[in-house]
Amino acid sequence: MNNLTSIEWLNENLNDKDLIIIDCRFNLMNPEQGSKDYQEDHIPGAFFFDLDKDLSSEILTHGGRHPLPNINKFAETLGNVGIDETKHVVAYDDQNGPFSARLWWLLKYLGHANVSVLNGNYIDWKEAGYETSTEIPRPNKTRFTANIQKDMVIEMEDVKEITDKDSYKLIDARAPERFSG
């Protein structure tokens, strides 16, 4: 499975019963904006996942602004929109992929191989003249079974230990303005 899906392919496959589309639009400066934008319009058949409510857990002492979600709760959220091992999940946002990539990574971490990010974003979808919808889809609930890929996570203590070693490079992928504080 490709990690990227073209907007043309997605448009041609909107009615595929094995396809689940997730709208991950979010605005860090206005956390309610993504949900409002989704209500206004979205790719037909798309469900909405909120960065704060669905793709993260509550903030604790450590873990940053958006810690990994509780795995059991997240698996339930996935199942509630019909995601199981048989489904191809396509995620999109409107900011060149940071939030849809988070869902991509989370699904990979939980062992779901068939997931991709829209190559382009919602703005590109609309500019291409493809259909949008205000209809909230009815899910076919199922059970998502997580198969945690433990090698995809490193503990904070391990990061502290390797930062002084030349054989490791730590890359901060945040936007420049967030990186610089």
Side-chain angles (χ1 to χ4, degrees):
M1 176 49 52
N2 291 330
N3 292 319
L4 295 174
T5 295
S6 73
I7 59 174
E8 296 81 10
W9 183 92
L10 183 58
N11 184 57
E12 292 168 7
N13 290 277
L14 283 178
N15 296 317
D16 184 337
K17 66 178 179 53
D18 292 325
L19 177 67
I20 305 284
I21 306 166
I22 306 294
D23 182 319
C24 299
R25 287 182 283 173
F26 192 83
N27 182 330
L28 291 169
M29 299 301 132
N30 181 0
E32 300 304 317
Q33 188 64 50
S35 177
K36 289 177 185 173
D37 290 346
Y38 172 79
Q39 298 291 329
E40 186 177 306
D41 64 356
H42 51 266
I43 294 175
F47 296 96
F48 179 74
F49 280 11
D50 184 278
L51 175 65
D52 286 339
K53 298 171 186 164
D54 301 309
L55 303 178
S56 304
S57 65
E58 63 183 81
I59 298 171
L60 303 173
T61 304
H62 295 288
R65 204 161 115 178
H66 294 101
L68 293 179
N70 172 285
I71 297 304
N72 293 331
K73 183 179 175 193
F74 186 57
E76 183 178 340
T77 298
L78 295 169
N80 284 344
V81 298
I83 298 173
D84 64 19
E85 68 279 354
T86 68
K87 300 299 188 252
H88 175 188
V89 178
V90 174
Y92 71 90
D93 60 42
D94 60 358
Q95 295 187 27
N96 298 318
F99 309 114
S100 53
R102 182 179 178 96
L103 176 60
W104 173 90
W105 186 89
L106 284 167
L107 281 165
K108 293 285 188 179
Y109 175 62
L110 296 183
H112 190 79
N114 201 0
V115 57
S116 52
V117 171
L118 189 63
N119 189 8
N121 59 36
Y122 188 62
I123 296 162
D124 297 329
W125 177 271
K126 289 176 73 170
E127 286 178 354
Y130 293 133
E131 181 183 357
T132 63
S133 178
T134 58
E135 184 178 333
I136 308 301
R138 290 185 25 202
N140 292 318
K141 293 183 180 183
T142 188
R143 178 173 159 74
F144 182 88
T145 303
N147 180 17
I148 305 293
Q149 308 298 301
K150 292 180 182 181
D151 62 330
M152 290 180 66
V153 174
I154 186 168
E155 298 296 326
M156 184 172 46
E157 293 305 317
D158 296 326
V159 172
K160 287 178 182 178
E161 184 179 310
I162 66 171
T163 55
D164 294 335
K165 297 180 181 177
D166 289 337
S167 58
Y168 291 93
K169 300 293 181 215
L170 183 61
I171 299 172
D172 188 323
R174 293 176 292 174
E177 61 276 6
R178 291 191 68 207
F179 174 78
S180 61

